[in-house]
């Protein structure tokens, strides 16, 4: 799709009906277009969210102290900051690829978990753990 085009698909019209229904719009100004079409389609939005993620290194799972840090992080996310983490256990940890074979960071290959969350206040938690 180029910058001046739009893809609009409907099963309710034939090709001829669709061609007839889509005509160029002549507006006196951009403001007139914005007021007529954009503001009319305006919808409510929710809270601002900052999606973020962190890789959890496999080394943290090998010691009691490391596991306590992971637990503390998850508990703080849920209880203190009311964020539900999404834990992806699909990192390439077990893949025995050649080093530097791709642009993937070594941290990705050395991590067991990929934790995703909304970070509106969670940067404080990460600094504490």
């Amino acid at each position: 799709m180029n910058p001046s085009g739009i893809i609009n698909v409907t099963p309710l019209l034939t090709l001829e009906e669709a061609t007839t229904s889509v005509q160029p719009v002549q507006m006196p100004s951009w403001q007139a277009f914005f007021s007529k079409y954009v503001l009319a389609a305006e919808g409510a939005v929710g809270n601002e969210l900052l999606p973020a993620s962190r890789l959890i290194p496999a080394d943290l799972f090998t010691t009691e102290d490391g596991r306590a840090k992971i637990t503390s992080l998850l508990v703080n996310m849920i209880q203190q900051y009311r964020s539900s983490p999404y834990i992806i256990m699909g990192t390439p940890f077990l893949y025995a690829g050649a080093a530097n074979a791709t642009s993937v960071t070594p941290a990705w290959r050395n991590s067991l978990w990929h934790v995703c969350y909304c970070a509106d206040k969670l940067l404080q938690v990460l600094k504490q753990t």
Side-chain angles (χ1 to χ4, degrees), residues 50-54 114-119 123 126:
L50 176 63
S53 70
R54 292 292 182 266
H114 182 196
V115 178
C116 303
Y117 54 93
C118 290
L123 292 177
L126 293 172

Side-chain angles (χ1 to χ4, degrees), residues 45-64:
V45 296
N47 295 333
E48 293 178 351
L49 298 175
L50 176 63
S53 70
R54 292 292 182 266
L55 296 170
I56 308 298
D59 293 353
L60 285 176
F61 292 88
T62 61
T63 66
E64 191 63 39

Side-chain angles (χ1 to χ4, degrees), residues 92 95-109:
Y95 178 71
N100 300 321
T102 69
S103 60
V104 174
T105 176
W108 179 246
R109 297 190 187 281

Side-chain angles (χ1 to χ4, degrees), residues 8 10 13-24:
N8 192 358
T10 177
L13 301 176
T14 66
L15 178 58
E16 293 78 25
E17 291 170 327
T19 302
T20 303
S21 71
V22 180
Q23 298 297 319

Side-chain angles (χ1 to χ4, degrees), residues 22-90:
V22 180
Q23 298 297 319
V25 176
Q26 297 295 323
M27 302 294 291
S29 68
W30 188 88
Q31 181 64 44
F33 166 81
F34 184 85
S35 297
K36 182 174 182 179
Y37 294 105
V38 177
L39 291 180
E42 183 179 31
V45 296
N47 295 333
E48 293 178 351
L49 298 175
L50 176 63
S53 70
R54 292 292 182 266
L55 296 170
I56 308 298
D59 293 353
L60 285 176
F61 292 88
T62 61
T63 66
E64 191 63 39
D65 182 55
R67 290 188 296 273
K69 287 180 179 180
I70 295 169
T71 302
S72 174
L73 171 69
L74 296 175
V75 167
N76 282 337
M77 285 176 144
I78 295 166
Q79 291 181 351
Q80 186 174 353
Y81 295 98
R82 309 233 189 289
S83 180
S84 298
Y86 176 67
I87 302 172
I88 301 170
M89 297 178 203

